[in-house]
Structure formats: C-alpha cells, structure tokens
Amino acid sequence: MKSYSYVAPALAVLLLAISGCRSVPRDAGFADVRRNIEERLGKQVHWNQGSTDDQSAADSVRTMLQRELTVDDAIQIALLNNRGLQATYQALGIAQADLVQAGLLRNPRFSGSISPAVGVSGTKVGLDLVADFLNIFSIPLRKRAAAAEFAAAKARVTASVLETASQTRLAFYDFQAAQQALDLWKTTVQATNASFTASEQMHKAGNISQLDLALDRALRDQARLGMAKAEAAVADSRERLTGLMGLWGKPASAWQAAAILPPIPAEEIDLTDFEKSAVTQSLELAVSREQAEAMARRRGLTNLQAVLPELETGVSSEREEDGAWFVGPVLSLEIPIFDQGQARRAKARAEVQRALESHAALAVQIRSRARASANRLLQARSRALFLRDEVLPLRKEILDQTQLQFNAMQIGVFQLLQVKRDQIEAGRQYIETLHDYWRSRAAVELTLAGVSPSNGGSTALEEWHDSGRQTLDGKERD
Amino acid sequence: MAISRRKLITGGLTAAAMGAALLKPSPVLADGKTKPVWAKPALEPGEPGKHYQPVVTPNGATLPFKIVGGAKVFYLVAEEVEHEFVAGLKAKCWGFNGRVHGPTIETVEGDHCRIYVTNHLPSATAIHWHGLLIPNGMDGIGGLTQKPIEPGETFLYEFTLHQHGTFMYHSHHNEMVQIALGLMGLFIIHPREGAKKVDRDYAILLNEWRIEPGASRPNPNEMSDFNVFTFNARSFPGTEALLARTGDRVRIRIANLSPTDHHPIHIHGHHFKVVSTDGGDVPESAQLPETTVLVPVGSTRTVEFVADNPGDWFLHCHMTHHMMNQMGHDIPNLIGVDPGVLDKAIQPLIPEYMTMSGNAMEGMEMPMPPNSAAMLLGHGPFGAITTGGMATVVKVRDELAEGKDPGWYMNPESPADKPASPDQLKRDGVEPPKRNVQPGAEKHEH
C-alpha cells in the first residue's frame, strides 16, 4: 500500500533551506594581510591566484631586476617572487575553508536495503533518513572557534611575510659585507704579493737567504687562502639571496646589487618604549591569543557536548514482503552512563589553562628578546662608530708616520707593508662591526614590525611550536 | 741664585786650610819627602793674551772667570738645555750655563781655581775633573769622595793646578745617564812657561748619542747602537769649520767622552804628530806620526801639523757609521735590487712609497719625521755631501779674513771634478770596459 507521508519531502526542503549553497570565498582574508604588510613594512604583497594582476606583479619584479638593487628592492622582489610565500598563503585558504566548514550542518544520512526473501517470493525494502539536529546548537561555538583560528592564520601568514622580508634583508647585508671583505682581502693579497716581490728581487740580487724567501712566500700563500675563502663567502651569500628572491636560471646570475654596506645612519631608531611596542605589535602574541580563544571556544563546545548527548532523529520506513509500508520517526540517543564527559571536560580545561600560560610565557620571552635586541643594536652602533672615528683614522696616522720613518731609513719595506696590512685588518674589523650593526638593526625593525627574532634567527613562535605543544596550523597534536 | 752655602767636600782641607796653603808650606806625607803636586804654592792667575793664547772651541764657548783674592773663580750651573745638533734636530739635553756641552774652562798651570757648581738638574750630580791632579776630596765622585750635589744645592770645588794639557770635566754621579745626556765640557791648562807657539789652537770634545727620529730627548739606555755623533755636540753639516792660513801651525786637541766607542779621527791632505795626551806631553822623538789618531773613550789626544796644503780638508771619525746622521740599522739590503720593480708593486697600495735602495741621495725630497736629521746631507760646491755625524772641514787658505768663514775652496785646476777627457784617456792608453747596467744604479722617479 502506497501511503507516503509528506514528512519526508518536507524534511528534505527544510534541510536544503538550512544548509544553503555555501561556497568558500577565494580572497580568504588576504586583503587584511596585504593591508597589514603595507602598514608594518611599507611593501606590496600579491597572491598569485591566476588573475591578470599576476602578470603585473611579475612585470614589476622584472623591472626592478634591471637596475642595481637596493635592500628595499631585494625585499620587494622576494615578497612578490618567493614561491615559499605563495605556498604559505594557501594556509589562508585552508583556514577560510575551516571557517566555512564550522558553519555547515551535518549531512543527513540515508540508508536503504532491499532484501529479497529466500525460498519464497517477496522483497523487504527498508529506507531510513536520519539527521543530527542538535549540532545546530554547537554551530555558533564552532564558528567562533574557527573565526579565532582564521584570525590566527592571518597573523601567522603576516608573520611569515615579515620573516621572509627580514631574511632577505639579512641576506642582502651578508652579501654586501662579503663583497667588502673580499675587496679588503684583495688588497691584502696585493700587499703580500708586493712583500714577496721585494723578497724575490732581494734573493735574486743575493741579499737574503732561501729561508727568508720561503717565509715570505708562506705569508703570501696565507693571504691567498684568506681571499679564496672570502670569494666562497660571496658566492654563498649571493646564492642565499637569489633563493630568497625566488630567482633561478638567467635572472639568478644577472642581478646586481650595491657593493658596499650603507654607513651608520646619523639618527638611530627611536627605542623609547621599545619593549612595550614589541608586545603591542607582536603577531606571535596575536596568534597565541587567538589560539587561546579558539581553545576556550572548543572547551565550551566540549562542555556543551557533555551536556547534550549525541542525538539522531529521522524517518524510518520499511516495506514488508507483503507490500505494506511502515513509516515512522526514529530516534537514536547516546546515554551517558559510563562516560559523562568528565574526562573530556577536564582535558579541555587543562588545555585552555595551558594556552593561557603559554601566552604569558611568550610575552615574557618577547620582552626579554626585545631588550636584548635593543642592547645589541646600541652596542654595535657604538663599536662601529668607535672604529670609524678613532681606530681607522689612527691606523692611517700610524701608516703615515711609518712612511716617514721609512723615508728616514729607520725601518724597511717589509715593516711598511706589515703596517699597511694592519690597516687593512682594521678595515676588515670595521666592516664586520658595520655588518653586525645592520643585522642588529634588522632584528629591531623586525621586532617593531611584529615578529620577535632570537639570536639564532628563529622566531619565538617557531620555538614555541617546536617544543611540541601545537602544530603550526593550530591543531592539537593527538 | 744666591749661593745657599759654601760646602767643602770631606776628605780634604777646610777653606781656611786651603787659604792657608797659599801662605804656609803644604802638608808633608808619610815618607816625609813627597808632596802631591796640588800642594805646591799657587802662582798669580794666568790671563789671556798675557800668559796664554786662548783656545778656540768650534761651536762652543769659553767659561768666563773672575779674579778674587788671587784665585780664579768660575761658576757652572748644571741644567737642562734645549740643544740643536744640526738644523732640524733639537733635543732636551743636560748641559752647563745654557750650553751643550758646557763651556770650556781655560786655565794656566799654577792657577788656583775655585769652581762653584749649582745643580739645576732634576737629579743629584757631582762633577769630576778628568785628568786633573787634585785633592781627593775635590775629585767629584758621588758616594766616594763627596755627597752628591742635590738639586738646588751649590758646591765649591777648589784646587791649585800644577800640570798642563787637555782635560775634561764631566758628571761622575749616575754617569750612564748624565754623560749620555751631555753633561761634560773641556778643561784646558796652558803651560806657565815654555809653551810651544802655534798659530791656531782648536779643541774638540767627542760624544755619541741615541735619539729616535721624531723624539726629542737622547736615550741614555743605549749601549751600542748610537745614531748621533758629534764634535762639540754638533753633527755635520752643523759643525763649524776650522780655519787656517797656509803655513799656519795648527794644534787640534781631541777629547773623547763617548759612552762606548773610541774614535779614529782622520785628517785629509796633511799628516800630524800626536804631541800630548791627558797624561802629559809626548817627547818629540816619541811623537807618533799619523793621519788618523785613535782617541779612546776617556782620553784626550792633541795633534799638531803645519797647514801647508790649501783647500777644504775633511776632518772626521773614520768609522763609516759615525759619519751618518740618525742612520737606521734594521733595514733590508736592497743593493742590486731594481727599485722600479718594487715601486710598481707597492705604489698602487701606498702612493707615497719610493724604494730606498741604499743610495744616500734618496731621502733628499722625501718627507721626514718631525725633528729628525736622518737623510740630512751637507751641500758643497759640487753638490750634496753624503756625510753627517762626526765630521768637519779644515779650511786652509792663502788669504784669510780673521774669524770669517771663507766659503768653499775653488781649486784653480780641479783635475778630478769631472770625468776624464778623451784626450787624457788616449794619452795614457786607458780604455774603460763596457759596463753591465746594474739595477739600482739609476735614479728613479714616482
């Protein structure tokens, strides 16, 4: 007997109405990241998603590569061209999808069976349609948790961009410093070559022994080794910068950059309230905060689920062998006898506490790092200025006075060349200290932009993650 | 400065006794017969022109004296003096009465001398009279014969001279430092009678010093590597010429108070005889004929000769390093090395560099450390004279205006002042062989 109830179609319509056709926006909050980067760094970023803008981004990279790169050029190229960053942007898509997922109702389940009788005629047909309606109550909590995680993902992506920019900046300074060091080594080699030339000529004239000649040759060889190492350092740092800028093939070998480090700027970065700025600007703290928020929402979810058991309702219909349909509602209910969710609730509470403590610990670490960065910057500055204003002019004076003593035949050509080499060594010390200064300054600038670098280069957030508390995308490790 | 006290040195006689010595017979010694020479009665103070022809100390001065009650009174003030060794080299030395070395004390045998010494040095001193036969208490050895003269104090040295010759006075307290800083002078005693007449009588005191180029104080710690060598505290070309008219009998008294080195003093164009030492006159038959007299440390040698060869004649220490001004000894040997090769290798690094390959002319245009005389050359009528240090010129002229330097000698025929002419070579059958051009032989430019 065909007696359908009108319940089934009505339910179907209702379900469709509730679900809606939710699609995931492609932008995925990248506009926020772009704005953030422009505020904190003053640079452009672009997510290659197959639009016409991809080409203009590629064009501006190509245009910049034509000229001698400044550090800002290199950073801008890296931000537009680094494929690793492009991969990172997908985290936004992932988080965005999670956000949408959180708002979706669980699909109803349809099950059916056809069982022909064995030995006799007739077929049993069973059709069920059930759905979990109670999850509708957990949607707001889930959505708020996912929203917090989405915000965390945006902060994390922004931090990745800042880190890439900072690494590019450091690599650029490394490259310049390596080139300057190589230049000085070339001069040192010139000086030891000259010293050896003098020895060679003296030996040819019969004025010195073979031992003296050999000793001067050893000196020259040492200098050549030093220069070779310096050449390797230049190639190394060039490759690192090339990789960060996302270049390969011909553009990789073609780009040119200014060969010397910039001088110490007259004005130092304003470091008043630096520690406070480090905390307020910190993207890592933002991530940590959002994740604690998400954790709290999940705890609420757990608590809710402890109270609301799993419940499925639906419609069940069965057709007996004789053709009679039996249609009626069906209910499936979890009965919390053994597991009342007490363990899950306790776990959730502990996890929220842990997130809060970790956040506090992170803040302390960020403050400490900020103080250390500021110190290092000021120390490097004062050392570099001392070298520039006291040591280098003194070395010049020593060379000048040595030249006078040489003219007066009090000392010989070897001593004069040694003093020249000492002057070059002081120059090398200055370049190293200038390099230190710019590296320290990059660390301070990165902190002000919102990421706290450690001395070893990893950020506070990375280290915290590495200690195993959370996966990088915010999910708990099970 | 008023004399604070008149202190008589122990071991000798009191002032009264000294005064008494002028009138009473002198003390008799153990054997009852001999007396020290200083015990003989004094004679009237000798006066220049009347009793002796004064000695000329080139670049120096003679200490003036007063005659008080039959005694010759001299006054020496020992003090720090800024002294010029040669143009461009000045140093803070220790001298007397504003001079380095101290002024020459000139006396006559038989003079009774009173020499007051005021100490304006930063440390204690004592003055010894080298070669003088005087009472032990006047000998001037700090700690042995007297307490040292402290800064600010004035001591009196008093004795009668009964000897003649060329002697010195110098510090004998902390000698290593004080002699190295220049605290010395000449002490001449003319014979009372029978003095041999000479037309020119010069006295030169030899010394050696260590002054770093650019420094302005001698280093008394130097024992063997001296770099400034002086006649009367001056180095060539800063030494005054010794003038003589052709035919003059010339006497040159040479005293050596160098810390370490003896000096063989050589004359050009003449032979001399060594006529006396600081021990006395050499009998004529024993006078050694020389062109070079070796003057040991702590000795004097007096030579005499007739200036019969007109011209400009070098008088110098024959040790080659003593004829250099502030020569450095730690430099590499670049003889035979092509300077152009080194210039090319080094000038890109140090633009001011120019190879110094051992040619004394090389330093002429180069900037020098301030206050130094290294590479300083004299200039003569034929160009630069590559000499410094212990050297001077004896100028013998037919015509000589007294006291005025006659300028350079212009030989009417100077056979060796230009290359030999082809006629001369041909006449004597001399054919100079072809020469390999040695590196370093040519002058080189930046």
Side-chain angles (χ1 to χ4, degrees):
Chain A
M1 185 157 175
K2 296 195 186 134
S3 53
Y4 297 107
S5 138
Y6 56 81
V7 174
L11 272 171
V13 170
L14 184 61
L15 287 169
L16 277 170
I18 292 171
S19 71
C21 275
R22 302 283 298 282
S23 60
V24 184
R26 285 206 75 188
D27 168 72
F30 189 71
D32 290 336
V33 170
R34 193 188 304 120
R35 189 181 19 91
N36 226 346
I37 291 296
E38 219 175 298
E39 275 168 18
R40 290 169 186 252
L41 200 60
K43 297 273 184 298
Q44 308 296 317
V45 283
H46 176 74
W47 187 359
N48 294 337
Q49 290 179 305
S51 70
T52 51
D53 291 332
D54 295 357
Q55 187 55 47
S56 50
D59 285 340
S60 74
V61 166
R62 206 174 305 118
T63 311
M64 280 189 282
L65 284 173
Q66 311 272 355
R67 59 175 186 248
E68 190 180 80
L69 299 178
T70 63
V71 63
D72 288 309
D73 289 340
I75 292 171
Q76 185 59 80
I77 292 172
L79 292 186
L80 293 176
N81 210 35
N82 187 304
R83 302 306 285 267
L85 269 184
Q86 297 298 325
T88 309
Y89 297 153
Q90 297 299 341
L92 292 172
I94 295 169
Q96 169 87 300
D98 285 344
L99 180 58
V100 170
Q101 175 75 43
L104 297 176
L105 285 174
R106 203 148 339 130
N107 290 329
R109 219 164 3 106
F110 168 77
S111 61
S113 63
I114 299 179
S115 328
V118 177
V120 296
S121 70
T123 314
K124 242 208 262 208
V125 176
L127 300 169
D128 288 343
L129 185 67
V130 290
D132 177 353
F133 286 104
L134 283 186
N135 82 56
I136 216 175
F137 294 108
S138 60
I139 283 181
L141 276 173
R142 283 216 300 272
K143 276 176 81 167
R144 282 209 279 278
E149 268 154 10
F150 186 46
K154 279 193 280 195
R156 218 177 286 112
V157 167
T158 309
S160 295
V161 173
L162 290 176
E163 271 170 349
T164 305
S166 186
Q167 276 165 20
T168 309
R169 183 187 297 276
L170 292 175
F172 192 84
Y173 292 146
D174 288 351
F175 178 61
Q176 288 184 314
Q179 282 192 301
Q180 277 191 277
L182 176 61
D183 248 350
L184 290 177
W185 270 111
K186 284 187 177 146
T187 314
T188 300
V189 166
Q190 217 178 354
T192 50
N193 276 347
S195 193
F196 184 61
T197 300
S199 277
E200 262 184 327
Q201 295 295 309
M202 283 171 67
H203 187 251
K204 201 165 97 185
N207 296 4
I208 58 167
S209 70
Q210 213 161 342
L211 172 61
D212 287 332
L213 183 65
L215 288 172
D216 242 353
R217 192 154 129 212
L219 195 68
R220 183 194 67 165
D221 291 348
Q222 278 304 112
R224 285 187 175 174
L225 275 174
M227 184 170 103
K229 268 173 85 164
E231 279 170 337
V234 168
D236 232 12
S237 58
R238 192 189 164 92
E239 280 315 315
R240 227 175 320 119
L241 186 54
T242 302
L244 281 165
M245 290 198 290
L247 301 169
W248 52 275
K250 195 147 169 298
S253 46
W255 63 263
Q256 298 295 323
I260 61 173
L261 283 166
I264 301 275
E267 295 286 312
E268 191 48 76
I269 299 181
D270 187 8
L271 290 174
T272 48
D273 294 332
F274 178 60
E275 202 179 307
K276 193 162 124 200
S277 306
V279 164
T280 50
Q281 289 292 93
S282 174
L283 288 165
E284 296 139 307
L285 283 175
V287 168
S288 169
R289 198 182 315 117
E290 296 296 346
Q291 283 177 334
E293 164 95 1
M295 198 68 68
R297 300 292 167 208
R298 293 235 162 73
R299 180 186 175 202
L301 200 57
T302 307
N303 290 346
L304 182 65
Q305 282 167 347
V307 166
L308 287 182
E310 255 185 58
L311 174 74
E312 279 186 327
T313 64
V315 169
S316 177
S317 62
E318 215 183 297
R319 197 197 78 168
E320 294 287 309
E321 309 88 358
D322 56 6
W325 275 95
F326 296 89
V327 182
V330 71
L331 175 78
S332 142
L333 176 68
E334 183 201 2
I335 302 180
I337 295 180
F338 306 113
D339 179 1
Q340 282 135 26
Q342 61 274 57
R344 275 174 281 145
R345 272 183 285 131
K347 179 172 170 183
R349 185 170 15 96
E351 278 165 348
V352 170
Q353 277 309 113
R354 180 173 70 179
L356 292 174
E357 289 298 335
S358 298
H359 182 86
L362 185 62
V364 170
Q365 193 174 32
I366 285 171
R367 281 173 179 274
S368 157
R369 284 206 182 140
R371 288 194 301 275
S373 293
N375 258 349
R376 237 175 278 126
L377 175 63
L378 294 174
Q379 292 284 344
R381 183 190 176 85
S382 97
R383 275 196 331 268
L385 288 177
F386 183 70
L387 277 157
R388 183 192 73 181
D389 297 335
E390 164 72 16
V391 175
L392 291 184
L394 181 61
R395 282 284 148 197
K396 177 76 176 47
E397 189 191 326
I398 290 173
L399 181 63
D400 289 342
Q401 287 296 320
T402 306
Q403 177 71 56
L404 294 182
Q405 295 288 337
F406 172 82
N407 294 344
M409 293 186 82
Q410 302 299 306
I411 53 130
V413 64
F414 299 111
Q415 271 160 287
L416 183 61
L417 288 171
Q418 174 65 60
V419 166
K420 181 71 188 172
R421 289 202 300 278
D422 290 343
Q423 186 196 36
I424 297 168
E425 189 53 42
R428 215 191 329 280
Q429 229 188 342
Y430 174 60
I431 298 303
E432 254 179 54
T433 311
L434 194 56
H435 188 202
D436 270 348
Y437 169 79
W438 285 108
R439 289 185 69 93
S440 310
R441 194 179 160 110
V444 164
E445 283 170 349
L446 184 60
T447 307
L448 284 173
V451 175
S452 165
S454 74
N455 222 359
S458 58
T459 62
L461 196 61
E462 277 170 346
E463 286 180 5
W464 183 42
H465 289 313
D466 286 344
S467 70
R469 261 165 267 162
Q470 276 195 315
T471 60
L472 267 171
D473 58 358
K475 295 287 179 283
E476 303 163 26
R477 284 190 213 278
D478 290 317
Chain B
M1 182 189 162
I3 296 161
S4 53
R5 56 199 156 120
R6 204 179 69 181
K7 187 176 160 140
L8 286 179
I9 318 303
T10 55
L13 307 158
T14 63
M18 276 307 268
L22 291 170
L23 312 163
K24 278 205 212 140
S26 31
V28 173
L29 298 180
D31 66 358
K33 293 201 228 28
T34 46
K35 301 179 233 196
V37 67
W38 47 262
K40 289 181 3 209
L43 303 173
E44 67 165 318
E47 288 181 59
K50 188 160 155 212
H51 294 101
Y52 63 91
Q53 277 308 111
V55 159
V56 173
T57 310
N59 294 116
T62 301
L63 188 61
F65 59 85
K66 283 196 297 223
I67 308 222
V68 178
K72 237 180 212 174
V73 178
F74 296 94
Y75 185 27
L76 286 174
V77 179
E79 55 190 358
E80 185 167 289
V81 179
E82 173 104 346
H83 171 70
E84 185 190 76
F85 287 86
V86 65
L89 176 58
K90 283 203 173 104
K92 298 183 247 300
C93 305
W94 286 2
F96 296 92
N97 299 24
R99 304 196 66 92
V100 176
H101 300 298
T104 301
I105 298 179
E106 205 165 3
T107 58
V108 182
E109 189 167 359
D111 278 352
H112 182 76
C113 301
R114 284 196 206 124
I115 308 174
Y116 287 89
V117 177
T118 297
N119 181 3
H120 278 177
L121 298 168
S123 30
T125 190
I127 305 299
H128 167 66
W129 316 95
H130 181 110
L132 264 51
L133 308 166
I134 51 180
N136 185 242
M138 300 296 168
D139 201 37
I141 314 304
L144 183 64
T145 65
Q146 67 167 83
K147 284 176 70 171
I149 313 174
E150 295 295 334
E153 291 182 342
T154 302
F155 279 35
L156 169 61
Y157 294 89
E158 190 163 356
F159 37 78
T160 308
L161 297 169
H162 283 292
Q163 67 192 115
H164 58 266
T166 306
F167 309 96
M168 301 94 92
Y169 64 93
H170 62 85
S171 161
H172 223 295
H173 185 68
N174 199 13
E175 300 87 333
M176 190 193 90
V177 170
Q178 301 193 1
I179 285 183
L181 289 170
L183 213 58
M184 58 182 76
L186 289 157
F187 197 117
I188 312 286
I189 312 179
H190 293 276
R192 179 63 64 157
E193 52 204 32
K196 178 123 148 279
K197 172 141 193 335
V198 291
D199 302 299
R200 310 278 167 176
D201 198 343
Y202 293 108
I204 298 177
L205 180 54
L206 310 177
N207 200 1
E208 61 196 0
W209 322 63
R210 171 87 199 186
I211 306 177
E212 299 299 328
S216 60
R217 195 186 295 273
N219 180 1
N221 303 314
E222 187 58 57
M223 181 169 127
S224 46
D225 197 6
F226 299 97
N227 64 354
V228 176
F229 302 90
T230 55
F231 282 168
N232 291 336
R234 297 279 294 177
S235 296
F236 187 84
T239 47
E240 204 178 293
L242 276 49
L243 308 179
R245 197 179 272 108
T246 311
D248 273 353
R249 185 162 188 84
V250 179
R251 175 188 294 144
I252 306 181
R253 309 160 185 260
I254 309 167
N256 183 10
L257 281 174
S258 300
T260 302
D261 293 316
H262 319 307
H263 297 291
I265 305 297
H266 174 68
I267 195 168
H268 291 209
H270 300 81
H271 294 173
F272 49 53
K273 290 236 173 81
V274 182
V275 302
S276 57
T277 71
D278 48 338
D281 291 331
V282 181
E284 203 162 326
S285 56
Q287 287 173 357
L288 216 56
E290 284 280 18
T291 64
T292 304
V293 56
L294 181 66
V295 188
V297 175
S299 312
T300 75
R301 296 285 181 270
T302 303
V303 301
E304 286 178 11
F305 63 96
V306 174
D308 56 6
N309 199 347
D312 289 334
W313 303 105
F314 243 12
L315 174 73
H316 63 93
C317 174
H318 215 292
M319 293 189 174
T320 56
H321 285 246
H322 293 189
M323 292 199 293
M324 303 287 294
N325 285 329
Q326 288 184 309
M327 174 72 188
H329 293 119
D330 276 331
I331 49 182
N333 181 6
L334 288 177
I335 305 295
V337 170
D338 184 349
V341 174
L342 264 57
D343 284 353
K344 222 158 53 119
I346 297 173
Q347 276 165 4
L349 285 163
I350 306 173
E352 300 83 12
Y353 171 81
M354 196 170 97
T355 303
M356 310 293 271
S357 49
N359 184 341
M361 309 287 283
E362 270 159 344
M364 277 176 71
E365 299 302 318
M366 307 292 286
M368 290 287 138
N371 192 44
S372 73
M375 314 302 288
L376 176 69
L377 298 174
H379 289 272
F382 296 100
I385 305 174
T386 58
T387 296
M390 254 179 207
T392 189
V393 182
V394 178
K395 295 189 177 180
V396 182
R397 300 284 186 278
D398 296 334
E399 304 288 318
L400 193 63
E402 280 316 313
K404 206 166 144 239
D405 190 305
W408 298 112
Y409 183 72
M410 281 299 147
N411 196 323
E413 30 164 299
S414 283
D417 78 337
K418 51 185 159 318
S421 69
D423 292 332
Q424 290 170 325
L425 292 172
K426 187 147 161 248
R427 176 190 71 198
D428 295 321
V430 171
E431 201 178 305
K434 266 273 180 268
R435 156 190 172 237
N436 291 338
V437 179
Q438 293 296 319
E442 313 301 326
K443 238 183 355 168
H444 55 108
E445 308 295 322
H446 276 252

